[in-house]
Amino acid sequence: MIHSPISPAIFYWGTPVVLVTTTNEDGTANIGPMSSAWWLGDRCVLGLEGNSQTTINLLRTKQCVLNLPDETMVSNINALARTTATVEIPDVKIKLGYRYDGNKFKTSRLTQQKSAKVIPPRIQECPVQMEAEVSGVHELMKDGPSAIKGFLLAVEVKVLQTYVDEKLRLEGHVNRIDSDKWRPVIMSFQNLYGLKAGQLAESTLADIDEENYRLPV
């Protein structure tokens, strides 16, 4: 194995696509596709641009739904690519070819589903939905140049309620997912990938009862 140094513009080694629903100022629903997301306990950290409508809505309302699409929803995801609900499109997004879209549910051919604990709707077609509220906002790259001050944020949200398609449940367990049935969409260096069917190998960590990871409430 021979290693050589590179300087990549992005570091998307592979993370799940999330369709984040939020509420616009006029009460309509917005869908923000993103993939800089990771979970720990009942918290999720979302890496977002400070000028995106999703971020603007999150900071104003403190609410969202994290909808996880599966491999059957690639066309819906692509329909949302390079769209923004921000009326005055930032120069950086104009350069990237973004266009204004005030009705992303129509554009993506997706269906609103009423949430129970937050105002933003769930996406009915997504097999996993997590209603959440903002619990913290952290500015990234504070040590960077002034031109990018406030450009990137890590928004921490607390998951309030999780819904899953019944077909994803692990038989014999109330709160577990059958990993062999869950097929998320993975973003890797701007391209969409699925998971190869079946496990690569059995994990030693899988011997630990999943409930042991549940944090105190």
Side-chain angles (χ1 to χ4, degrees):
M1 186 179 296
I2 301 174
H3 296 87
S4 59
I6 65 170
S7 179
I10 57 176
F11 288 84
Y12 280 91
W13 301 107
T15 48
V17 172
V18 184
L19 303 182
V20 184
T21 48
T22 55
T23 305
N24 296 317
E25 286 190 1
D26 62 3
T28 58
N30 181 52
I31 306 175
M34 56 87 69
S35 61
S36 295
W38 60 274
W39 284 260
L40 193 62
D42 62 354
R43 305 302 168 104
C44 180
V45 177
L46 307 171
L48 296 165
E49 293 181 1
N51 61 10
S52 78
Q53 191 62 41
T54 293
T55 308
I56 293 170
N57 290 343
L58 271 172
L59 298 181
R60 188 185 71 257
T61 69
K62 311 298 184 186
Q63 294 185 340
C64 68
V65 180
L66 310 178
N67 304 274
L68 303 187
D70 65 14
E71 294 177 350
T72 67
M73 299 179 63
V74 170
S75 63
N76 308 98
I77 296 169
N78 278 331
L80 292 166
R82 290 195 285 186
T83 64
T84 177
T86 306
V87 178
E88 295 185 11
I89 305 175
D91 290 340
V92 64
K93 287 194 173 182
I94 292 176
K95 181 180 178 180
L96 296 174
Y98 276 70
R99 61 180 176 80
Y100 171 73
D101 190 330
N103 192 343
K104 293 190 183 181
F105 271 93
K106 180 179 179 180
T107 298
S108 59
R109 302 176 303 282
L110 294 172
T111 310
Q112 296 190 34
Q113 186 175 16
K114 185 175 177 57
S115 296
K117 299 194 175 190
V118 296
I119 294 175
R122 295 176 281 151
I123 297 177
Q124 185 172 351
E125 290 81 1
C126 287
V128 178
Q129 310 156 330
M130 288 164 278
E131 298 174 5
E133 63 182 8
V134 174
S135 56
V137 179
H138 314 276
E139 183 181 341
L140 300 180
M141 298 186 180
K142 288 184 178 181
D143 59 342
S146 58
I148 61 171
K149 198 74 174 173
F151 181 64
L152 294 177
L153 301 176
V155 181
E156 178 188 350
V157 301
K158 178 182 179 180
V159 177
L160 304 175
Q161 180 69 60
T162 303
Y163 306 84
V164 298
D165 186 331
E166 287 289 333
K167 292 178 290 189
L168 294 181
R169 289 178 176 273
L170 182 62
E171 186 176 351
H173 296 268
V174 176
N175 293 309
R176 293 190 60 180
I177 299 298
D178 189 332
S179 300
D180 287 330
K181 295 178 180 177
W182 172 224
R183 290 289 174 265
V185 180
I186 302 298
M187 170 70 74
S188 178
F189 292 97
Q190 295 184 283
N191 290 298
L192 301 176
Y193 290 86
L195 294 181
K196 181 180 179 181
Q199 299 180 37
L200 294 176
E202 290 189 4
S203 169
T204 302
L205 288 175
D207 293 334
I208 302 173
D209 189 331
E210 192 170 300
E211 285 297 315
N212 289 334
Y213 290 103
R214 191 180 297 278
L215 297 175
V217 179

